[in-house]
Amino acid sequence: MAKKSVATLQTGSKRLTKAIKMVKSPKTGAYTFVEAVMPPEAVGEFLDKK
């Protein structure tokens, strides 16, 4: 299971969330971090994707 980190950013009237997840590479076995800034409603879907 990858570790999850979520931070809430507020810019003007828009609420955005920066989500970071750790993903293991199938080729090398090394871990990389994938970051995305999105609305808070989309965070669960982002973290559930493989």
Side-chain angles (χ1 to χ4, degrees):
M1 183 74 178
K3 291 189 178 182
K4 303 172 189 175
S5 175
V6 177
T8 303
L9 310 172
Q10 211 165 5
T11 57
S13 63
K14 292 184 181 179
R15 280 195 54 206
L16 298 175
T17 302
K18 181 178 183 179
I20 305 168
K21 75 177 169 180
M22 201 163 82
V23 180
K24 188 174 184 177
S25 170
K27 277 187 177 178
T28 63
Y31 285 95
T32 59
F33 292 94
V34 178
E35 298 182 21
V37 177
M38 64 197 74
E41 301 82 33
V43 172
E45 184 180 321
F46 171 75
L47 295 175
D48 289 339
K49 275 196 274 182
K50 277 199 166 190

